[in-house]
Short mmCIF file of all heavy atoms in Angstrom, two decimals:
data_model
loop_
_atom_site.label_atom_id
_atom_site.label_comp_id
_atom_site.label_asym_id
_atom_site.label_seq_id
_atom_site.Cartn_x
_atom_site.Cartn_y
_atom_site.Cartn_z
N TYR A 137 -3.65 -11.15 -0.46
CA TYR A 137 -2.87 -10.42 0.54
C TYR A 137 -1.70 -11.21 1.11
O TYR A 137 -1.21 -10.92 2.19
CB TYR A 137 -3.77 -9.80 1.62
CG TYR A 137 -4.43 -10.67 2.65
CD1 TYR A 137 -3.86 -10.85 3.90
CD2 TYR A 137 -5.70 -11.21 2.43
CE1 TYR A 137 -4.50 -11.58 4.89
CE2 TYR A 137 -6.35 -11.94 3.42
CZ TYR A 137 -5.74 -12.12 4.65
OH TYR A 137 -6.38 -12.84 5.63
N GLU A 138 -1.18 -12.16 0.33
CA GLU A 138 0.16 -12.69 0.57
C GLU A 138 0.92 -12.58 -0.75
O GLU A 138 0.43 -13.01 -1.79
CB GLU A 138 0.15 -14.15 1.05
CG GLU A 138 1.56 -14.71 1.14
CD GLU A 138 1.73 -15.85 2.12
OE1 GLU A 138 0.74 -16.49 2.50
OE2 GLU A 138 2.90 -16.10 2.50
N SER A 139 2.10 -11.98 -0.70
CA SER A 139 2.87 -11.76 -1.93
C SER A 139 3.69 -12.99 -2.27
O SER A 139 4.79 -13.21 -1.75
CB SER A 139 3.77 -10.53 -1.78
OG SER A 139 2.99 -9.36 -1.76
N SER A 140 3.12 -13.79 -3.16
CA SER A 140 3.76 -15.03 -3.59
C SER A 140 3.24 -15.36 -4.98
O SER A 140 2.05 -15.16 -5.27
CB SER A 140 3.43 -16.16 -2.61
OG SER A 140 4.00 -17.38 -3.02
N ASN A 141 4.10 -15.85 -5.84
CA ASN A 141 3.67 -16.23 -7.19
C ASN A 141 4.65 -17.25 -7.75
O ASN A 141 5.69 -17.53 -7.17
CB ASN A 141 3.57 -14.99 -8.09
CG ASN A 141 4.85 -14.20 -8.14
OD1 ASN A 141 5.85 -14.64 -8.72
ND2 ASN A 141 4.85 -13.01 -7.52
N LYS A 142 4.30 -17.79 -8.90
CA LYS A 142 5.09 -18.87 -9.49
C LYS A 142 6.37 -18.39 -10.18
O LYS A 142 7.24 -19.20 -10.49
CB LYS A 142 4.22 -19.64 -10.49
CG LYS A 142 3.05 -20.40 -9.90
CD LYS A 142 3.52 -21.65 -9.17
CE LYS A 142 2.34 -22.49 -8.71
NZ LYS A 142 2.76 -23.78 -8.12
N ILE A 143 6.47 -17.11 -10.44
CA ILE A 143 7.67 -16.59 -11.09
C ILE A 143 8.76 -16.27 -10.08
O ILE A 143 9.91 -16.69 -10.21
CB ILE A 143 7.34 -15.31 -11.91
CG1 ILE A 143 6.35 -15.64 -13.03
CG2 ILE A 143 8.63 -14.73 -12.51
CD1 ILE A 143 5.95 -14.43 -13.85
N TYR A 144 8.39 -15.52 -9.04
CA TYR A 144 9.39 -15.00 -8.11
C TYR A 144 9.40 -15.69 -6.75
O TYR A 144 10.29 -15.44 -5.93
CB TYR A 144 9.16 -13.50 -7.89
CG TYR A 144 9.16 -12.69 -9.16
CD1 TYR A 144 8.03 -11.98 -9.56
CD2 TYR A 144 10.29 -12.63 -9.97
CE1 TYR A 144 8.02 -11.22 -10.72
CE2 TYR A 144 10.30 -11.88 -11.14
CZ TYR A 144 9.15 -11.17 -11.51
OH TYR A 144 9.15 -10.43 -12.66
N GLY A 145 8.40 -16.50 -6.49
CA GLY A 145 8.34 -17.14 -5.18
C GLY A 145 7.70 -16.24 -4.13
O GLY A 145 6.95 -15.32 -4.45
N ARG A 146 8.02 -16.48 -2.88
CA ARG A 146 7.35 -15.85 -1.74
C ARG A 146 8.26 -14.83 -1.06
O ARG A 146 9.44 -15.06 -0.88
CB ARG A 146 6.96 -16.94 -0.74
CG ARG A 146 6.16 -16.47 0.44
CD ARG A 146 5.87 -17.65 1.35
NE ARG A 146 7.04 -18.04 2.15
CZ ARG A 146 7.12 -19.14 2.86
NH1 ARG A 146 6.13 -20.01 2.84
NH2 ARG A 146 8.20 -19.41 3.57
N SER A 147 7.67 -13.72 -0.66
CA SER A 147 8.39 -12.72 0.13
C SER A 147 8.17 -13.01 1.62
O SER A 147 7.11 -13.52 2.01
CB SER A 147 7.91 -11.31 -0.20
OG SER A 147 8.23 -10.98 -1.54
N ASN A 148 9.16 -12.64 2.45
CA ASN A 148 9.12 -12.93 3.88
C ASN A 148 9.24 -11.67 4.71
O ASN A 148 9.94 -10.72 4.34
CB ASN A 148 10.25 -13.89 4.26
CG ASN A 148 10.20 -15.18 3.48
OD1 ASN A 148 9.15 -15.84 3.41
ND2 ASN A 148 11.31 -15.57 2.87
N ASN A 149 8.56 -11.67 5.84
CA ASN A 149 8.53 -10.51 6.72
C ASN A 149 9.88 -10.33 7.43
O ASN A 149 10.37 -11.28 8.05
CB ASN A 149 7.41 -10.68 7.76
CG ASN A 149 7.07 -9.40 8.47
OD1 ASN A 149 7.91 -8.78 9.11
ND2 ASN A 149 5.81 -8.99 8.39
N PRO A 150 10.49 -9.15 7.36
CA PRO A 150 11.81 -8.96 7.99
C PRO A 150 11.78 -9.04 9.51
O PRO A 150 12.82 -9.24 10.14
CB PRO A 150 12.22 -7.55 7.53
CG PRO A 150 10.95 -6.87 7.16
CD PRO A 150 10.05 -7.94 6.64
N TYR A 151 10.61 -8.92 10.13
CA TYR A 151 10.51 -9.02 11.59
C TYR A 151 10.43 -10.47 12.04
O TYR A 151 10.77 -10.80 13.17
CB TYR A 151 9.30 -8.24 12.10
CG TYR A 151 9.47 -6.75 11.91
CD1 TYR A 151 9.03 -6.14 10.73
CD2 TYR A 151 10.09 -5.96 12.87
CE1 TYR A 151 9.21 -4.78 10.52
CE2 TYR A 151 10.27 -4.60 12.67
CZ TYR A 151 9.83 -4.02 11.49
OH TYR A 151 10.02 -2.68 11.28
N ASP A 152 9.97 -11.34 11.14
CA ASP A 152 9.93 -12.78 11.38
C ASP A 152 9.69 -13.44 10.03
O ASP A 152 8.62 -13.31 9.45
CB ASP A 152 8.81 -13.15 12.36
CG ASP A 152 8.85 -14.62 12.76
OD1 ASP A 152 9.27 -15.45 11.94
OD2 ASP A 152 8.45 -14.94 13.90
N LEU A 153 10.68 -14.14 9.52
CA LEU A 153 10.62 -14.70 8.17
C LEU A 153 9.51 -15.71 7.99
O LEU A 153 9.16 -16.05 6.85
CB LEU A 153 11.98 -15.33 7.81
CG LEU A 153 13.19 -14.39 7.83
CD1 LEU A 153 14.46 -15.17 7.48
CD2 LEU A 153 13.00 -13.22 6.87
N GLN A 154 8.94 -16.19 9.09
CA GLN A 154 7.84 -17.17 9.00
C GLN A 154 6.48 -16.48 8.81
O GLN A 154 5.47 -17.16 8.69
CB GLN A 154 7.80 -18.03 10.27
CG GLN A 154 9.07 -18.81 10.53
CD GLN A 154 9.47 -19.68 9.34
OE1 GLN A 154 8.65 -20.44 8.82
NE2 GLN A 154 10.72 -19.58 8.92
N HIS A 155 6.49 -15.16 8.76
CA HIS A 155 5.23 -14.41 8.63
C HIS A 155 5.15 -13.71 7.28
O HIS A 155 6.15 -13.45 6.63
CB HIS A 155 5.10 -13.40 9.78
CG HIS A 155 4.85 -14.04 11.10
ND1 HIS A 155 3.65 -13.92 11.78
CD2 HIS A 155 5.63 -14.83 11.88
CE1 HIS A 155 3.71 -14.59 12.91
NE2 HIS A 155 4.91 -15.15 13.00
N ILE A 156 3.92 -13.36 6.89
CA ILE A 156 3.68 -12.79 5.57
C ILE A 156 4.07 -11.30 5.54
O ILE A 156 4.18 -10.64 6.57
CB ILE A 156 2.22 -12.96 5.12
CG1 ILE A 156 1.27 -12.02 5.90
CG2 ILE A 156 1.75 -14.39 5.28
CD1 ILE A 156 -0.14 -11.95 5.33
N VAL A 157 4.23 -10.81 4.33
CA VAL A 157 4.51 -9.38 4.13
C VAL A 157 3.26 -8.63 3.69
O VAL A 157 3.28 -7.41 3.56
CB VAL A 157 5.61 -9.19 3.07
CG1 VAL A 157 6.90 -9.82 3.54
CG2 VAL A 157 5.19 -9.74 1.70
N GLY A 158 2.18 -9.36 3.44
CA GLY A 158 0.96 -8.72 2.93
C GLY A 158 0.99 -8.61 1.42
O GLY A 158 1.97 -8.93 0.76
N GLY A 159 -0.13 -8.17 0.88
CA GLY A 159 -0.23 -8.02 -0.57
C GLY A 159 -1.24 -6.97 -0.92
O GLY A 159 -2.03 -6.54 -0.09
N SER A 160 -1.23 -6.49 -2.14
CA SER A 160 -0.34 -7.06 -3.13
C SER A 160 1.01 -6.37 -3.23
O SER A 160 1.92 -6.86 -3.89
CB SER A 160 -1.02 -7.02 -4.51
OG SER A 160 -1.34 -5.68 -4.88
N SER A 161 1.17 -5.22 -2.55
CA SER A 161 2.45 -4.50 -2.59
C SER A 161 3.38 -4.99 -1.49
O SER A 161 4.10 -4.22 -0.85
CB SER A 161 2.21 -2.99 -2.44
OG SER A 161 1.23 -2.52 -3.32
N GLY A 162 3.40 -6.30 -1.28
CA GLY A 162 4.13 -6.87 -0.15
C GLY A 162 5.63 -6.81 -0.30
O GLY A 162 6.35 -6.61 0.69
N GLY A 163 6.14 -7.03 -1.51
CA GLY A 163 7.57 -6.93 -1.72
C GLY A 163 8.07 -5.53 -1.43
O GLY A 163 9.17 -5.34 -0.88
N GLU A 164 7.26 -4.54 -1.76
CA GLU A 164 7.61 -3.16 -1.49
C GLU A 164 7.63 -2.91 0.02
O GLU A 164 8.53 -2.25 0.56
CB GLU A 164 6.62 -2.22 -2.16
CG GLU A 164 7.08 -0.79 -2.28
CD GLU A 164 8.37 -0.67 -3.07
OE1 GLU A 164 8.45 -1.15 -4.20
OE2 GLU A 164 9.32 -0.08 -2.51
N GLY A 165 6.64 -3.46 0.71
CA GLY A 165 6.56 -3.26 2.16
C GLY A 165 7.76 -3.81 2.90
O GLY A 165 8.37 -3.14 3.74
N CYS A 166 8.16 -5.06 2.58
CA CYS A 166 9.29 -5.66 3.31
C CYS A 166 10.62 -5.06 2.89
O CYS A 166 11.55 -4.97 3.68
CB CYS A 166 9.28 -7.18 3.16
SG CYS A 166 9.66 -7.82 1.52
N THR A 167 10.72 -4.63 1.63
CA THR A 167 11.95 -3.98 1.16
C THR A 167 12.21 -2.69 1.91
O THR A 167 13.33 -2.43 2.37
CB THR A 167 11.85 -3.71 -0.36
OG1 THR A 167 11.80 -4.95 -1.07
CG2 THR A 167 13.02 -2.88 -0.85
N LEU A 168 11.18 -1.88 2.08
CA LEU A 168 11.32 -0.62 2.81
C LEU A 168 11.57 -0.88 4.29
O LEU A 168 12.42 -0.23 4.90
CB LEU A 168 10.07 0.23 2.61
CG LEU A 168 9.88 0.79 1.20
CD1 LEU A 168 8.44 1.23 0.98
CD2 LEU A 168 10.83 1.96 0.96
N ALA A 169 10.84 -1.82 4.86
CA ALA A 169 11.00 -2.12 6.29
C ALA A 169 12.41 -2.59 6.61
O ALA A 169 12.94 -2.30 7.68
CB ALA A 169 9.98 -3.17 6.72
N ALA A 170 13.02 -3.31 5.67
CA ALA A 170 14.36 -3.85 5.89
C ALA A 170 15.45 -2.85 5.50
O ALA A 170 16.63 -3.22 5.45
CB ALA A 170 14.53 -5.14 5.10
N ALA A 171 15.07 -1.59 5.24
CA ALA A 171 16.01 -0.52 4.89
C ALA A 171 16.80 -0.84 3.63
O ALA A 171 18.00 -0.56 3.53
CB ALA A 171 16.95 -0.21 6.06
N CYS A 172 16.12 -1.42 2.65
CA CYS A 172 16.74 -1.70 1.36
C CYS A 172 16.38 -0.64 0.32
O CYS A 172 16.82 -0.72 -0.83
CB CYS A 172 16.30 -3.08 0.84
SG CYS A 172 16.94 -4.45 1.81
N SER A 173 15.57 0.32 0.70
CA SER A 173 15.17 1.41 -0.19
C SER A 173 14.67 2.55 0.69
O SER A 173 14.40 2.34 1.88
CB SER A 173 14.08 0.94 -1.16
OG SER A 173 13.67 1.98 -2.01
N VAL A 174 14.54 3.74 0.11
CA VAL A 174 14.07 4.89 0.88
C VAL A 174 12.58 5.11 0.68
O VAL A 174 11.83 5.30 1.64
CB VAL A 174 14.83 6.17 0.48
CG1 VAL A 174 14.33 7.38 1.29
CG2 VAL A 174 16.32 5.99 0.70
#
Side-chain angles (χ1 to χ4, degrees):
Y137 73 96
E138 174 155 19
S139 290
S140 178
N141 55 70
K142 294 286 187 174
I143 298 178
Y144 304 118
R146 185 181 76 191
S147 295
N148 302 310
N149 195 302
Y151 293 90
D152 187 329
L153 300 179
Q154 300 305 309
H155 289 249
I156 73 169
V157 298
S160 59
S161 310
E164 196 59 54
C166 69
T167 294
L168 290 162
C172 292
S173 179
V174 180

